[in-house]
């Protein structure tokens, strides 16, 4: 966590800033909504995160140039009221909204509205290693790097106070959708300059300032994140006065809190509790076909998973049907591809590896491992939309692989550390997954299996780099013709299946639950919940 890197003086100062923010009086009938979230955020600044816990935590505070429609994947104006794209697909010109205000806190009151300087600052921080904020908070900007933004960008220019021009080295079909993603949020350059002069720039990420509908109040790890409504939000004041993320990793405890009225919205109930929620007149169950994939990675840089025969043997030794039935409880389907079947370009012609322990043992013998081997399987410690119970799935896989002589030690870690260690390449086998961020196949295939993302710190936790696969997904990005992009992505899925860097496990239906008095809350296929327009009935 970023907090661990912060000087002690700043950590002690944070509660004082929070107290100052809370001192502002609320209306007599103030409305507070409590959201029971599944875990701590990786960080409060979405530039520094790659998981939805961090994205969701940052979303109430921030906006991007362009935004996805609430509950959908269509791109709408955000901080940019309009934009144009050159005929060759390489120059994007954004016209910014006028009069957009930033939040304030105990140490900062903005002297101006949002302008092109803020957009340039926010993008350049991630792009340029010599930028004064690039190394602040230990920022690696993994998502920015995994999408090869550093190599794609040619220039980011301020034409005037309300116009930003972004030039690319080559056409990139997903670029506008990538700009709408949360890691491209806009920060206040004025606030950043003040903190740099004061000598504690890390505070930009610990006490965030954005233009979103809610402003940051405080964060206590393992307890809660608190936000206050921003009355001057450019999109109009929200109905809620206060928003609280109550950090509750256990889904059974989340449901208990929901039923008791201690929270109003809960993330990802246990599949076994779905019928109980449906039967409770005080609750409302929400359901969405998930744009996700839960999988087990096989680290191809570590023996014996550098041997294709071993990777295929592992695929054939795992009974996915039983896992889905036992853990997802009818809320999931066995997976065979890296992208979900609801996403365009999904290749249903790909044949999955059959469940065949005898064939698996034969392949292991051919690889010189007739007696099997010992290794580790890492499992996530929190429920995720694509994996409701990592430990249970790991135990079922442990049982399956023992039948072919593969002896597993099960390993886990605190969620943010778990993710970081996977991305560093420490795990030989690991349960992980993905919820799509922009509705484009590139967001799955390149982000999780592309060669750029196979770097240390990248989202390609299998560390698999296949030149033919990478060439196909690169071609797909460089053409705007959808039929061509679809053909390239379908061919890429064939290669991924043949080379087996993963055991795809399941695509899940995602559930959330609210109390009946909550109005306006919508599930989002892209996994972010900004709470725009959400209200509580009396």
């Amino acid at each position: 966590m970023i907090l661990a890197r912060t000087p002690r003086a700043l950590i002690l100062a944070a509660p004082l800033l929070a107290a100052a923010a809370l001192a502002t009086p609320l209306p007599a009938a103030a409305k507070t909504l409590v959201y029971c979230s599944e875990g701590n955020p990786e960080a409060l600044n979405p530039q520094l995160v790659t998981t939805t816990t961090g994205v969701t935590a940052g979303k109430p505070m921030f906006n991007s140039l362009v935004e996805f429609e609430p509950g959908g994947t269509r791109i709408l104006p955000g901080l940019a009221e309009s934009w144009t794209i050159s005929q060759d697909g390489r120059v994007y010109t954004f016209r910014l909204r006028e009069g957009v205000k930033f939040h304030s806190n105990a140490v900062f009151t903005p002297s101006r509205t949002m302008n092109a300087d803020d957009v340039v600052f926010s993008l350049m921080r991630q792009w340029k290693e010599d930028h004064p904020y690039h190394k602040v908070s230990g920022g690696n900007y993994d998502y920015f790097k995994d999408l090869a933004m550093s190599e794609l960008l040619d220039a980011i220019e301020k034409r005037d106070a309300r116009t930003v021009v972004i030039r690319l080295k080559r056409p990139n079909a997903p670029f506008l959708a990538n700009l709408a993603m949360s890691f491209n949020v806009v920060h206040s350059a004025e606030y950043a300059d003040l903190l740099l002069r004061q000598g504690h720039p890390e505070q930009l990420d610990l006490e965030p300032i954005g233009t979103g509908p809610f402003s940051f109040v405080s964060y206590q790890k393992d307890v809660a994140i608190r936000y206050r409504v921003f009355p001057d939000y450019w999109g109009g004041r929200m109905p809620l006065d206060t928003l609280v993320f109550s950090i509750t990793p256990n889904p059974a405890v989340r449901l208990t809190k929901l039923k008791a009225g201690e929270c109003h919205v809960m993330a990802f109930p246990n599949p076994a509790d779905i019928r109980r929620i449906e039967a409770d007149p005080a609750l409302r169950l929400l359901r969405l076909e998930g744009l996700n994939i839960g999988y087990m990675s096989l680290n191809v840089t570590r023996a014996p998973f550098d041997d294709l025969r071993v990777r295929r043997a592992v695929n054939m030794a795992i009974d996915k049907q039983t896992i889905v039935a036992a853990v997802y409880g009818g809320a999931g389907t066995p997976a065979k591809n890296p992208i979900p079947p609801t996403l365009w370009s999904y290749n249903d012609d790909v044949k999955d590896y059959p469940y065949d322990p005898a064939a698996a043992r034969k392949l292991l013998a051919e690889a010189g491992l007739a007696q099997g081997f010992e290794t580790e399987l890492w499992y996530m410690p929190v429920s995720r939309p694509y994996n409701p119970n990592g430990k249970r799935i790991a135990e079922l896989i442990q049982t399956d692989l023992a039948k072919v002589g593969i002896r597993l030690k099960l390993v886990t870690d605190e969620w943010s550390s778990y993710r970081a260690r996977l991305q560093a390449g420490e795990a030989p086998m690991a349960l992980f997954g993905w919820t799509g961020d922009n509705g484009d196949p590139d967001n799955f295939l390149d982000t999780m299996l592309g060669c750029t993302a196979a770097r240390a710190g990248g989202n390609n936790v299998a560390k698999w780099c296949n030149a033919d696969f990478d060439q196909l997904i690169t071609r797909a990005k460089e053409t705007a013709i959808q039929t061509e992009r679809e053909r390239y992505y379908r061919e890429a899925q064939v290669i991924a299946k043949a080379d087996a860097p993963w055991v795809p496990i399941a695509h899940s239906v995602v559930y959330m639950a609210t109390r009946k008095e909550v109005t306006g809350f919508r599930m989002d296929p892209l996994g972010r919940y900004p709470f725009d327009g959400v209200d509580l009935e009396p």
Side-chain angles (χ1 to χ4, degrees):
M1 293 296 296
I2 292 173
L3 199 59
R5 302 188 189 99
T6 307
R8 179 172 174 79
L10 298 185
I11 295 173
L12 294 174
L16 299 178
L17 295 175
L22 283 170
T24 305
L26 288 173
K31 294 181 180 180
T32 297
L33 183 140
V34 179
Y35 167 58
C36 277
S37 76
E38 75 276 24
N40 289 300
E42 292 177 69
L44 297 171
N45 175 6
Q47 292 178 322
L48 305 175
V49 308
T50 57
T51 62
T52 52
T53 47
V55 168
T56 303
K59 192 59 182 169
M61 300 179 284
F62 290 103
N63 297 120
S64 303
L65 282 172
V66 292
E67 303 273 351
F68 293 108
E69 64 179 332
T73 59
R74 189 163 59 99
I75 297 172
L76 302 176
L79 294 179
E81 63 183 11
S82 63
W83 61 88
T84 60
I85 305 172
S86 64
Q87 191 170 3
D88 65 0
R90 294 177 53 198
V91 181
Y92 290 69
T93 303
F94 297 92
R95 184 65 174 166
L96 304 182
R97 292 183 186 275
E98 190 171 14
V100 174
K101 295 182 178 180
F102 280 102
H103 308 155
S104 61
N105 62 21
V107 300
F108 173 72
T109 300
S111 67
R112 59 168 178 80
T113 56
M114 184 270 305
N115 65 27
D117 291 328
D118 304 303
V119 177
V120 173
F121 164 82
S122 302
L123 293 174
M124 294 292 279
R125 174 188 180 175
Q126 298 183 86
W127 182 22
K128 294 297 185 180
E129 292 187 4
D130 60 353
H131 189 278
Y133 266 85
H134 187 78
K135 292 181 172 59
V136 169
S137 303
N140 292 317
Y141 315 103
D142 288 320
Y143 217 150
F144 190 89
K145 292 178 180 177
D146 283 355
L147 295 178
M149 296 280 279
S150 298
E151 291 74 37
L152 175 64
L153 291 170
D154 187 43
I156 302 171
E157 303 166 353
K158 170 186 174 181
R159 180 172 292 172
D160 58 49
R162 291 185 55 204
T163 308
V164 174
V165 179
I166 300 177
R167 302 181 189 277
L168 308 182
K169 293 178 180 176
R170 54 189 176 276
N172 185 276
F175 181 70
L176 196 62
N178 290 343
L179 276 186
M181 290 163 59
S182 294
F183 72 93
N184 282 319
V185 296
V186 173
H187 288 263
S188 166
E190 185 183 22
Y191 181 45
D193 288 344
L194 170 67
L195 295 175
L196 197 63
R197 291 196 304 272
Q198 291 179 344
H200 46 87
E202 297 90 350
Q203 210 70 9
L204 184 76
D205 305 312
L206 293 170
E207 295 278 342
I209 292 292
T211 59
F214 293 91
S215 59
F216 175 75
V217 174
S218 65
Y219 167 46
Q220 186 175 356
K221 186 179 179 183
D222 298 324
V223 178
I225 313 170
R226 301 180 186 276
Y227 310 90
R228 180 180 296 276
V229 71
F230 182 42
D232 296 324
Y233 177 51
W234 59 268
R237 190 193 191 281
M238 294 296 109
L240 300 172
D241 299 293
T242 307
L243 176 64
V244 178
F245 281 29
S246 177
I247 298 164
T248 314
N250 188 308
V253 176
R254 292 200 293 272
L255 180 56
T256 298
K257 286 184 175 182
L258 187 74
K259 291 170 72 69
E262 295 177 29
C263 62
H264 302 91
V265 180
M266 72 164 286
F268 321 134
N270 278 322
D273 291 328
I274 296 304
R275 290 185 180 179
R276 290 176 56 204
I277 296 170
E278 287 181 308
D280 192 323
L283 306 181
R284 182 181 291 113
L285 181 70
L286 306 178
R287 180 186 188 277
L288 186 69
E289 198 72 33
L291 192 70
N292 61 38
I293 173 69
Y295 64 90
M296 182 175 74
S297 65
L298 305 174
N299 190 331
V300 302
T301 67
R302 288 171 169 257
F305 303 112
D306 53 349
D307 190 318
L308 176 59
R309 294 167 296 186
V310 174
R311 299 197 298 273
R312 289 178 173 173
V314 170
N315 269 270
M316 289 189 287
I318 294 175
D319 184 356
K320 288 191 282 192
Q321 293 282 354
T322 296
I323 290 173
V324 172
V327 179
Y328 291 81
T333 57
K336 62 181 179 180
N337 286 324
I339 67 174
T342 53
L343 190 60
W344 64 271
S345 83
Y346 179 82
N347 190 346
D348 200 30
D349 294 334
V350 168
K351 302 298 182 186
D352 202 5
Y353 293 101
Y355 173 54
D356 190 341
R361 284 191 290 269
K362 182 178 178 182
L363 276 175
L364 289 174
E366 291 176 6
L369 296 167
Q371 304 306 312
F373 59 92
E374 295 182 1
T375 189
E376 294 177 345
L377 170 57
W378 294 32
Y379 67 90
M380 57 198 63
V382 297
S383 58
R384 304 295 293 151
Y386 47 75
N387 185 331
N389 191 331
K391 183 178 182 181
R392 180 62 180 141
I393 291 179
E395 289 170 344
L396 291 169
I397 291 173
Q398 184 182 45
T399 298
D400 282 345
L401 294 187
K403 296 174 184 176
V404 299
I406 300 176
R407 300 169 295 281
L408 297 183
K409 176 185 177 183
L410 303 186
V411 178
T412 192
D413 201 348
E414 188 271 330
W415 174 234
S416 59
S417 177
Y418 178 86
R419 181 207 57 80
R421 294 177 71 184
L422 259 59
Q423 290 181 253
E426 291 185 35
M429 305 171 70
L431 295 177
F432 211 37
W434 192 253
T435 296
D437 284 313
N438 63 16
D440 195 291
D442 179 78
N443 185 241
F444 284 82
L445 298 174
D446 191 18
T447 303
M448 294 186 296
L449 289 168
C451 289
T452 299
R455 63 184 177 80
N459 272 309
N460 183 344
V461 297
K463 305 307 174 191
W464 177 71
C465 177
N466 180 291
D468 294 333
F469 177 93
D470 216 56
Q471 185 178 55
L472 286 168
I473 61 174
T474 299
R475 287 176 179 171
K477 282 189 289 191
E478 293 178 351
T479 177
I481 301 171
Q482 179 109 347
T483 54
E484 290 187 12
R485 297 190 72 206
E486 182 165 357
R487 176 167 57 86
Y488 292 137
Y489 289 137
R490 287 174 62 88
E491 291 177 17
Q493 290 166 70
V494 173
I495 293 173
K497 176 56 63 177
D499 224 21
W502 287 1
V503 179
I505 296 172
H507 309 289
S508 71
V509 174
V510 181
Y511 290 99
M512 298 185 76
T514 75
R515 294 190 59 80
K516 281 289 179 68
E517 58 265 31
V518 175
T519 64
F521 181 81
R522 291 165 292 191
M523 292 189 68
D524 187 326
L526 305 179
R528 48 189 144 240
Y529 307 101
F531 295 91
D532 294 44
V534 177
D535 200 357
L536 292 171
E537 292 181 342

